[in-house]
Amino acid sequence: MTDTKVYLLDGGSLVLDGFHIWWNKGPGGEVRFPVYSVLVEHAEGNFLIDTGYDYDHVMKVLPFEKPQQTEQQTIPGALKLLGMEPKDIGVVFNSHFHFDHVGGNKFFPHAKKICHKAEIEQSAKPEPFEVLGYSDMTFSAEAAEARGMSEQLADGQTAANTSYEHVEGDVELAKGVKLVFTPGHAIGHYSLYVELANRRPMLFTLDAAYTRKSYDNLINAGFHIDPIAGVESMKKLKKIEEETGAEVLFSHDAESFANYQTGVNAYS
Ligand SMILES: [Zn+2]
């Protein structure tokens, strides 16, 4: 049995105003931040957590987020760097269905897909302030249809090959790979905890905390459904960090990301 490996798939970058990244705190002004997905190579299979954003979608619907993405930063491009193809991924798990976490789902019609039980329904009937977050509906034919956005679907995407297995609460995705329920940013949001053989565990906040500053000061992002739940979720992650000595990694923090290992450099 080989040791578990974690790869960070660099998905390019986007821009938001500082007041959206650090809600009601700022400072304002344009901030460019990274987007990435997490590949867990495990004895039980290859698990992909989130799939980044689709460049064309962002240019069409949210061009003000100024996407920068090279060929190697698309999901197929990032996998190719590792000598892999989409078909090598057995399970796709989405932390939540915001556009910058689902853009590459369309490349995995064959994979088993998993999400929190409330996320599909929410994305199909978002609150008014969630509409842009849930704007790329290509992850689910069913939800796209409910939104009247079926024209977004890629060739071959059907309700059958975009259906999800639902989870709730904290769950183990594979041995030593845990999904930590952290609602607030989205109704069914998850963070990710991975145990590795040769280093301390990794705790990916995903969008429960965009940046180190968000986490240290319990600052939600401007995009959320329940800011109080969001603060509680950050406290929950801090408790896990304290108990396990895990390294905490943030979803959208340019400064932290510069020190993360990406491309072929795995954590193991
Ligand atoms: Zn999000």
Side-chain angles (χ1 to χ4, degrees), residues 164-186:
Y164 287 75
E165 189 177 300
H166 294 162
V167 289
E168 60 183 307
D170 295 345
V171 284
E172 194 165 58
L173 190 59
K175 194 173 182 323
V177 182
K178 290 170 188 156
L179 304 173
V180 184
F181 184 48
T182 48
H185 175 72

Side-chain angles (χ1 to χ4, degrees), residues 50 95-101 133-134 185-186 189 206-208 210 221 223-224 251-252:
D50 289 345
S95 64
H96 62 306
F97 289 131
H98 286 170
F99 73 91
D100 55 327
H101 297 258
Y134 295 117
H185 175 72
H189 185 275
L206 297 166
D207 282 0
Y210 278 12
F223 298 95
H224 52 248
S251 59
H252 298 307

Side-chain angles (χ1 to χ4, degrees), residues 15-255:
V15 162
L16 270 182
D17 188 88
F19 269 106
H20 279 288
I21 295 181
W22 302 289
W23 184 51
N24 284 354
K25 177 82 177 172
E30 279 196 358
V31 179
R32 180 164 289 281
F33 60 87
V35 173
Y36 66 93
S37 307
V38 181
L39 170 63
V40 181
E41 219 177 80
H42 191 281
E44 293 170 38
N46 291 329
F47 298 81
L48 182 62
I49 291 83
D50 289 345
T51 62
Y53 69 81
D54 179 84
Y55 181 86
D56 292 336
H57 171 79
V58 179
M59 284 308 283
K60 197 169 160 193
V61 179
L62 319 89
F64 47 84
E65 293 208 9
K66 303 180 180 174
Q68 288 182 0
Q69 187 182 64
T70 66
E71 187 61 37
Q72 282 196 338
Q73 290 170 324
T74 63
I75 282 288
L79 287 173
K80 199 173 166 190
L81 259 184
L82 307 177
M84 295 174 81
E85 295 175 50
K87 67 170 175 49
D88 298 321
I89 302 296
V91 176
V92 172
F93 176 80
N94 291 102
S95 64
H96 62 306
F97 289 131
H98 286 170
F99 73 91
D100 55 327
H101 297 258
V102 303
N105 271 44
K106 56 174 147 301
F107 299 114
F108 303 95
H110 60 280
K112 175 171 163 179
K113 284 171 269 298
I114 306 175
C115 69
H116 184 269
K117 65 170 189 168
E119 263 301 291
I120 294 261
E121 204 180 323
Q122 192 64 29
S123 69
K125 227 179 152 202
E127 295 292 341
F129 49 82
E130 294 184 301
V131 166
L132 271 186
Y134 295 117
S135 59
D136 182 345
M137 299 301 290
T138 53
F139 60 91
S140 165
E142 209 179 331
E145 194 177 328
R147 292 277 298 278
M149 292 157 79
S150 297
E151 79 286 351
Q152 286 188 344
L153 296 173
D155 284 350
Q157 281 196 299
T158 66
N161 69 27
T162 60
S163 69
Y164 287 75
E165 189 177 300
H166 294 162
V167 289
E168 60 183 307
D170 295 345
V171 284
E172 194 165 58
L173 190 59
K175 194 173 182 323
V177 182
K178 290 170 188 156
L179 304 173
V180 184
F181 184 48
T182 48
H185 175 72
I187 199 163
H189 185 275
Y190 272 104
S191 302
L192 172 72
Y193 171 89
V194 188
E195 286 169 359
L196 295 166
N198 309 302
R199 73 185 309 282
R200 59 191 175 129
M202 301 177 84
L203 180 59
F204 293 92
T205 60
L206 297 166
D207 282 0
Y210 278 12
T211 69
R212 164 62 66 187
K213 173 174 144 180
S214 321
Y215 185 71
D216 286 349
N217 300 287
L218 301 176
I219 305 169
N220 282 295
F223 298 95
H224 52 248
I225 186 162
D226 182 346
I228 295 172
V231 170
E232 289 309 313
S233 287
M234 282 187 264
K235 289 182 182 167
K236 179 177 179 176
L237 293 173
K238 282 174 183 244
K239 195 154 174 263
I240 293 172
E241 178 190 14
E242 219 176 272
E243 286 169 359
T244 64
E247 179 181 355
V248 184
L249 293 93
F250 307 99
S251 59
H252 298 307
D253 186 341
E255 215 176 293

